[in-house]
Amino acid sequence: MTEVIEMAGAGYIRLRQICLVAPHLEPVVGDIADIMGLRVCYRDGNVAKYGLENALLPVDTILLEVVAPFQPGTAAGRFLDKTGGRGGYMAIFCCDDPDERGKHAGKIGVRVANVIDHAPYHGVQLHPRDCRAAFIEFNHTDGSDDILGPYPPAGPDWQKSIAKDVTQALIGVEMQSPDPQGLAEHWGRIIGIPVSKNASGEPELELPNCSFRFVKGASDIMSGLTFRVADIDAVRDAAKKRGHAVAGDQFLLGGVTFRLAA
């Protein structure tokens, strides 16, 4: 664990983006925008080379992205086939040292799958099979360590699309595994954060702007997202109006469980 703590101390790391995958962008993107009171800030034409289309919606300073394949043979399409559409696709972290974090991952047996170098943006994506549960990406944008600064994947004016009257923040990510402690330790080693316990005794990784909690499940997946909202009942009603089955303060959308917190 010492190595993990030392690495974490070497630089900052924050959750920058969560990516979901759907067979088609609609109705998922429209439902997220309508139910959660969010706005699409960008649709990135660069993902077309991967056979994908996308839409990004800011949740305060974290981006929520939905990707959908428009041709066969894509990694996202294979993910959908494998999982039956259940589970989040990517957890993307901004940091000051993506290449160093990629090298660290390699030392613990996690391969680098792809490097994206579009100055001023630089991203290192790790192999999902080695990460387990979901892709992990580390990225950095030169000259912008401000969390409200430029972030090219979200477009030139993403900050103008932040809407907080309904949804105020993405505060938690739920990961399921037959071995929650083992998956938490694995992600902790990759990301460089020691595993702690939350109030319920579940293993957890605490980032400055979000926490990842690990719970028992049938397979390794990113299973849920927790949002702090202004009015839980209003969001629940909006979900019902869009045809989603609401159980308590949660509903299924985009392959993951949306959980609502005050």
Side-chain angles (χ1 to χ4, degrees):
M1 194 61 70
T2 303
E3 178 188 12
V4 170
I5 295 170
E6 285 177 353
M7 183 186 161
Y12 73 87
I13 186 161
R14 297 172 65 96
L15 181 63
R16 173 85 271 190
Q17 191 174 327
I18 289 290
C19 178
L20 308 178
V21 63
H24 307 282
L25 288 185
E26 296 300 340
V28 174
V29 173
D31 282 358
I32 291 173
D34 183 74
I35 295 167
M36 306 301 292
L38 301 174
R39 302 173 188 158
V40 173
C41 64
Y42 194 52
R43 299 177 188 268
D44 187 358
N46 289 321
V47 301
K49 65 185 176 185
Y50 302 112
L52 302 174
E53 55 184 352
N54 78 340
L56 292 103
L57 308 93
V59 185
D60 193 12
T61 56
I62 295 173
L63 280 300
L64 182 59
E65 179 184 13
V66 181
V67 300
F70 62 78
Q71 65 186 39
T74 66
R78 290 191 294 273
F79 177 87
L80 285 171
D81 292 341
K82 178 184 175 182
T83 64
R86 185 76 174 100
Y89 189 47
M90 295 185 75
I92 298 170
F93 302 91
C94 61
C95 61
D96 52 357
D97 54 356
D99 289 320
E100 286 303 313
R101 290 179 184 274
K103 290 175 185 175
H104 168 77
K107 291 177 182 176
I108 59 173
V110 177
R111 292 166 289 175
V112 171
N114 189 30
V115 175
I116 304 168
D117 202 5
H118 294 307
Y121 169 88
H122 182 72
V124 176
Q125 295 178 342
L126 306 182
H127 200 293
R129 188 176 302 159
D130 297 344
C131 294
R132 299 165 51 194
F135 266 109
I136 291 174
E137 177 186 313
F138 300 117
N139 67 44
H140 178 74
T141 299
D142 289 341
S144 177
D145 291 334
D146 177 359
I147 199 67
L148 275 168
Y151 184 59
D157 300 307
W158 69 271
Q159 306 91 334
K160 295 179 181 178
S161 295
I162 294 174
K164 299 176 72 172
D165 51 333
V166 178
T167 299
Q168 297 164 341
L170 171 59
I171 59 174
V173 179
E174 180 190 86
M175 310 291 290
Q176 285 186 9
S177 175
D179 177 17
Q181 183 69 32
L183 183 60
E185 291 174 358
H186 183 57
W187 273 52
R189 283 191 295 271
I190 296 170
I191 298 169
I193 294 176
V195 179
S196 57
K197 296 283 186 183
N198 63 19
S200 301
E202 298 160 339
E204 185 175 64
L205 300 176
E206 292 189 70
L207 285 95
N209 60 339
C210 189
S211 65
F212 282 67
R213 70 185 185 101
F214 295 77
V215 301
K216 193 81 170 178
S219 59
D220 289 343
I221 62 170
M222 182 194 295
S223 50
L225 303 174
T226 299
F227 299 87
R228 186 172 65 245
V229 299
D231 186 334
I232 290 176
D233 289 339
V235 177
R236 292 171 79 253
D237 289 345
K240 288 177 181 176
K241 286 178 183 176
R242 298 286 289 204
H244 295 275
V246 177
D249 294 336
Q250 62 188 46
F251 53 92
L252 189 66
L253 178 55
V256 299
T257 299
F258 278 49
R259 290 190 172 81
L260 310 175

